[in-house]
Amino acid sequence: MILYRSTRAVEGAADVTFDEAMLAGLAPDGGLYWPTRLPPLPLGWEAAKSPAELARSVLGAYMGAEAAAAVAGGLDFPWPVKRLTDDVFVLELFHGPTAAFKDVGARSLARAIEAALIGRDERLTILVATSGDTGSAVADAFAGLKRVRVAVLYPAGGVSPVQEAQLTASRQGVRAFRVEGTFDDCQALVKAALADPALAGVNLSSANSINIGRLLPQSLYYLWGSARVWEELGVTTPLEVVVPSGNLGNLTAGLLAAETGLRTAGFLAAHNRNDFFPRYLAREADAYAFDASVATPSTAMDVGAPSNFERLFSWLGDDLRARVRGCRVGDAATLERMRVTAEQDGYLVCPHTAVGLEALARLRAAAAPGERRAPAMVLATAHPAKFPEAVLEATGRRPAAPANLRRFTDAPKRVESLAARPAGLRAALLDWVD
Ligand SMILES: *Cc1c(COP(=O)(O)O)cnc(C)c1O
């Protein structure tokens, strides 16, 4: 069985099991867990008939058969591929309960944690900082579990009204905190609480993309999507993979799939104006030279200091620059791409997906004449109806909400306000009565 090591482990430090790494979230030394070994994909993975079957065949090596089966149980919604043009495919990852790809990681993690806690007489409190989509996905995935309760922290004014309705829907065992600050402040509060000795008596963990239990299952849709595109094309040709990126968890999962055997033509990390990573790739910024976050239409990608950079950098170092291309897309270009995609392709996309499509268009426009271009797979990370204001502004059209989103509109709400200081969250966690 594979063991896991913190990105900050010192020589001789003990490695931990998957369950230990997942239940801890962040390593005690403040680092992020990563497998000590990356097993090659099982032969014939392309033939899996469903995401759940793919989970059972690929994830067992990382987490054991039981946890892999538990994860498979949470992957109960489709990941369809839509052909936008001759050689551009969109992998729709937004058909889960909260209409964003975060459902994949959150539901996987919830199932795996529940499986791990069975047999241990333990309760766990999960902290999650969210720029919108993670929080609702996690709250939804964990709601009602007997051994786990969840505190969700989101930036006041930093999420869309639809997202806020999802985040604050009253759920058993879930508290929503509206933080006077940015997403980075929320993330800092979570990190401070996890390291706070005063909270040692509360069994705390995190469900951000820093949790390895969320990240590993996310590698599955890169495999699934590639296999669907190859079927459609009738040829197994490496794809240009375009990832709308913020905290870089999604990209990390994709690079893991490639490292273990998925053939690609490369990765394109598409960022909004929060562009530390593209600048790092272009040698315009040093590693870890993060910026404060700025607000853009693709709110879930408004991350100034992406947590997973530490994971990527400690794994690949400057070799990252050889594996990933970066692109920064401004706000006006994002909305313009939404408009063009609606007009030319008759397809409404959310602002995050639009950042990916625009980055791809620029990559292709910059190619040398006659250069052979790979078909592209762009990850569609959220349903357009999650961002109706932006879609309306860009396209003049109001996206129809799918049933899974409509159910939040009328749900009873519950939310608490919090200052961006550790003391407030500490008090709330110590006083939690349920
Ligand atoms: C979280 C999120 C992203 C960014 O994913 P990371 O793993 O943080 O890079 C992109 N789009 C949407 C809709 C998201 O919710």
Side-chain angles (χ1 to χ4, degrees):
M1 182 98 137
I2 292 174
L3 293 175
Y4 292 77
R5 183 172 300 161
S6 165
T7 48
R8 299 185 190 175
V10 291
E11 196 59 40
D15 297 330
V16 302
T17 64
F18 172 76
D19 279 4
E20 288 165 341
M22 171 182 68
L23 292 174
L26 200 65
D29 60 13
L32 285 73
Y33 287 111
W34 189 244
T36 51
R37 194 160 61 72
L38 299 176
L41 291 169
L43 285 179
W45 62 264
E46 299 91 338
K49 294 282 183 294
S50 64
E53 188 184 326
L54 191 61
R56 284 189 296 269
S57 85
V58 172
L59 295 180
Y62 290 95
M63 54 181 75
E66 236 171 85
V71 168
L75 300 181
D76 50 2
F77 55 90
W79 298 336
V81 162
K82 153 125 190 131
R83 190 171 196 162
L84 212 54
T85 66
D86 251 12
D87 62 357
V88 178
F89 296 81
V90 173
L91 175 58
E92 293 184 346
L93 297 171
F94 51 66
H95 295 282
T98 70
F101 84 102
K102 299 281 189 338
D103 282 324
V104 175
R107 291 173 69 72
S108 298
L109 184 65
R111 301 297 177 110
I113 284 186
E114 191 180 38
L117 290 178
I118 288 174
R120 301 182 186 218
D121 191 19
E122 262 183 53
R123 293 194 59 179
L124 195 62
T125 300
I126 301 263
L127 300 179
V128 53
T130 183
S131 49
D133 293 328
T134 303
S136 51
V138 168
D140 210 81
F142 283 88
L145 293 188
K146 288 200 180 55
R147 298 191 162 274
V148 192
R149 54 193 193 183
V150 178
V152 178
L153 287 74
Y154 69 93
V159 302
S160 77
V162 178
Q163 286 177 319
E164 192 155 23
Q166 288 183 310
L167 285 167
T168 56
S170 171
R171 298 174 174 93
Q172 197 186 348
V174 179
R175 283 168 78 180
F177 294 98
R178 189 170 191 275
V179 175
E180 296 303 325
T182 62
F183 169 68
D184 292 326
D185 293 326
C186 296
Q187 197 153 256
L189 279 181
V190 167
K191 283 196 174 179
L194 289 170
D196 186 348
L199 291 170
V202 187
N203 200 6
L204 289 178
S205 185
S206 71
N208 282 70
S209 54
I210 56 177
N211 195 305
I212 192 70
R214 241 183 74 175
L215 209 105
L216 297 172
Q218 285 184 245
S219 68
L220 298 172
Y221 48 68
Y222 289 89
L223 306 174
W224 178 263
S226 300
R228 299 291 79 72
V229 172
W230 295 336
E231 262 171 17
E232 178 92 13
L233 289 172
V235 47
T236 308
T237 186
L239 307 177
E240 180 73 39
V241 181
V242 185
V243 188
S245 292
N247 217 10
L248 295 172
N250 205 358
L251 181 73
T252 306
L255 291 172
L256 175 78
E259 178 73 9
T260 55
L262 174 67
R263 292 203 311 133
T264 77
F267 285 84
L268 178 58
H271 288 254
N272 60 27
R273 286 187 294 120
N274 294 277
D275 62 350
F276 155 74
F277 193 57
R279 288 192 300 109
Y280 161 77
L281 293 172
R283 300 178 190 276
E284 291 166 11
D286 290 334
Y288 298 103
F290 299 139
D291 300 306
S293 59
V294 295
T296 77
S298 45
T299 52
M301 292 162 30
D302 291 348
V303 184
S307 313
N308 281 287
F309 181 75
E310 177 166 338
R311 203 169 240 143
L312 286 173
F313 191 73
S314 70
W315 171 31
L316 296 170
D318 284 325
D319 192 35
L320 263 172
R321 292 183 171 132
R323 300 196 189 200
V324 185
R325 276 177 284 205
C327 183
R328 168 206 200 265
V329 175
D331 298 356
T334 302
L335 297 182
E336 175 62 10
R337 180 53 54 183
M338 292 167 77
R339 187 187 69 75
V340 168
T341 306
E343 217 153 84
Q344 291 181 354
D345 308 312
Y347 187 62
L348 293 183
V349 293
C350 81
H352 313 79
T353 308
V355 169
L357 288 168
E358 174 65 15
L360 175 65
R362 291 186 190 176
L363 178 77
R364 288 185 162 179
E371 190 178 314
R372 202 189 146 278
R373 78 185 199 188
M377 176 169 75
V378 181
L379 272 54
T381 51
H383 193 288
K386 245 186 140 163
F387 302 89
E389 299 81 8
V391 174
L392 185 65
E393 183 189 343
T395 68
R397 289 165 61 182
R398 193 175 281 286
N404 49 359
L405 276 184
R406 285 199 305 272
R407 80 197 150 100
F408 291 106
T409 321
D410 303 322
K413 304 289 188 297
R414 198 175 58 184
V415 60
E416 301 163 62
S417 288
L418 204 64
R421 288 190 302 273
L425 180 60
R426 180 189 300 140
L429 292 174
L430 289 173
D431 291 348
W432 196 322
V433 276
D434 42 8

